[in-house]
Amino acid sequence: MPENFAHNLKDLKLKATPKRLAILSLLAEELSYASPEEVWRKLRRNFASIGLPTVYRNLEDLANGGLITKVIHPNRQLYYYFCPNSHHHHHFICLSCRKVEDINFCGMEEIEKKVDGTVLSHIVQVNGLCRDCAESHGGTP
Amino acid sequence: MPENFAHNLKDLKLKATPKRLAILSLLAEELSYASPEEVWRKLRRNFASIGLPTVYRNLEDLANGGLITKVIHPNRQLYYYFCPNSHHHHHFICLSCRKVEDINFCGMEEIEKKVDGTVLSHIVQVNGLCRDCAESHGGTP
DNA sequence: ATTGTAAATAGAAATGATTTCTTTTTAGAA
DNA sequence: TTCTAAAAAGAAATCATTTCTATTTACAAT
């Protein structure tokens, strides 16, 4: 499973620009979710000029293409996560350290049958504290 | 199952103010989710002065108390829904007409066991088009 | 009934994450 | 190389949501 981001982008009809590739590899190195501004700050190390709007747009495009996933956060800000896991699954996110664990379970097949309408998307996300954070500051994010 | 909102509020240690009660009955009459501004516009019919911040604050407090539920919307704006159904369940929301259907299924028990950490909350929501909307404008929200 | 007090509210103002706009640059097909 | 649609910069705007302060109110305790 070689990480061929350029190829992934081409499949999505997105140009493999250096900044897109950098965003992908940057996120791929993280075990936690990141905000657009955090991504932007890191990109500035490698790019003399990089606009925050570019980061927002690219993160959104990459998420729409399914290469990264959005995290729904109680604080209503945007966060994104690169998940190498390619099959359908969901996430447990730590509200404190932002670590993400995969949840390899989704009852959506059962649910879709019962719905009286057309399903376009679904959200399943579990929020909490990872084991480490729960132990170190027992309960409060 | 008499709707005794005043009592519900007291249980939450929230004062049963006329505006809170009005927000609750207003939402309880709807089969669909509403935005803070929409709630505010309707309240203005009955209250000479009612501030938008009051509506925001109350909707948030009522949702935190579990009397109403938040809807996670792709457009990232806030929406709230009053659900008379008291047992744990989730929702199928129509992105077009905003109607809500109950989903009486939640795999969270299974999921919680697998998570390596402390679960604080979870989101399960199915987005799509209700039967009526799917038929009338087949596919686009 | 009356009073006292914490909670709730109005109204104005601020906020700030996100988006939009216009111009310039670039990736990649031809 | 050339061409063209897509991507990006940079500045500016947006606008839903929140914050702030003074005033009012619900309701528990007289």
Side-chain angles (χ1 to χ4, degrees):
Chain A
M1 194 198 283
E3 284 178 351
N4 190 337
F5 293 140
H7 187 84
N8 296 148
L9 289 171
K10 182 171 281 188
D11 287 347
L12 294 173
K13 304 226 164 61
L14 295 175
K15 290 183 181 175
T17 68
K19 284 163 189 177
R20 276 196 186 127
L21 294 168
I23 289 175
L24 281 171
S25 27
L26 188 159
L27 287 179
E29 286 169 6
E30 300 276 346
L31 294 174
S32 54
Y33 51 93
S35 72
E37 187 166 340
E38 286 159 356
V39 171
W40 175 64
R41 282 204 295 265
K42 290 189 179 175
L43 287 173
R44 284 206 292 185
R45 297 172 190 165
N46 305 319
F47 294 94
S49 82
I50 169 94
L52 195 44
T54 297
V55 178
Y56 271 91
R57 188 171 0 88
N58 277 323
L59 289 171
E60 181 67 14
D61 293 344
L62 295 173
N64 286 338
L67 292 187
I68 62 178
T69 60
K70 271 189 200 186
V71 168
I72 309 284
H73 201 280
N75 73 7
R76 299 177 43 68
Q77 292 187 201
L78 289 170
Y79 295 94
Y80 295 88
Y81 174 66
F82 176 84
C83 188
N85 195 341
S86 60
H87 65 270
H88 181 72
H89 68 287
H90 297 287
H91 294 126
F92 170 61
I93 67 156
C94 179
L95 295 172
S96 177
C97 73
R98 302 192 184 173
K99 194 161 44 189
V100 177
E101 290 176 28
D102 284 359
I103 293 175
N104 292 302
F105 173 83
C106 175
M108 208 44 56
E109 309 74 32
E110 290 187 55
I111 287 176
E112 293 209 14
K113 285 179 208 150
K114 298 178 186 168
V115 163
D116 187 27
T118 306
V119 173
L120 295 176
S121 63
H122 68 270
I123 307 167
V124 175
Q125 187 182 283
V126 183
N127 305 328
L129 297 172
C130 70
R131 174 185 293 276
D132 287 347
C133 289
E135 282 171 2
S136 55
H137 48 297
T140 22
Chain B
M1 194 197 285
E3 283 178 350
N4 191 339
F5 293 139
H7 188 83
N8 296 149
L9 289 171
K10 182 172 282 188
D11 287 347
L12 294 173
K13 303 225 163 64
L14 294 176
K15 292 185 180 174
T17 68
K19 282 161 189 178
R20 277 197 184 126
L21 294 169
I23 289 174
L24 281 172
S25 27
L26 188 159
L27 287 179
E29 287 170 4
E30 301 275 345
L31 294 174
S32 54
Y33 52 92
S35 73
E37 187 165 340
E38 286 158 356
V39 171
W40 175 64
R41 281 204 293 266
K42 288 187 180 176
L43 287 172
R44 285 208 291 184
R45 297 172 190 164
N46 306 318
F47 294 93
S49 82
I50 170 94
L52 197 43
T54 296
V55 178
Y56 270 91
R57 188 170 3 84
N58 277 323
L59 289 171
E60 183 67 13
D61 293 344
L62 296 173
N64 285 338
L67 292 187
I68 62 178
T69 59
K70 270 189 202 189
V71 169
I72 309 283
H73 201 278
N75 72 8
R76 300 179 37 74
Q77 293 187 199
L78 289 170
Y79 294 94
Y80 295 89
Y81 174 66
F82 175 86
C83 187
N85 196 340
S86 60
H87 65 269
H88 181 72
H89 67 287
H90 297 287
H91 294 125
F92 170 61
I93 66 157
C94 179
L95 295 173
S96 176
C97 73
R98 302 192 184 172
K99 192 162 44 189
V100 178
E101 290 176 27
D102 283 359
I103 293 174
N104 291 301
F105 173 82
C106 174
M108 208 44 57
E109 307 76 32
E110 289 187 56
I111 288 176
E112 293 208 15
K113 284 180 210 152
K114 297 179 188 168
V115 164
D116 187 27
T118 305
V119 172
L120 294 177
S121 64
H122 67 272
I123 307 167
V124 175
Q125 187 182 285
V126 183
N127 305 327
L129 297 171
C130 70
R131 175 185 293 275
D132 287 347
C133 290
E135 283 172 0
S136 54
H137 49 298
T140 24

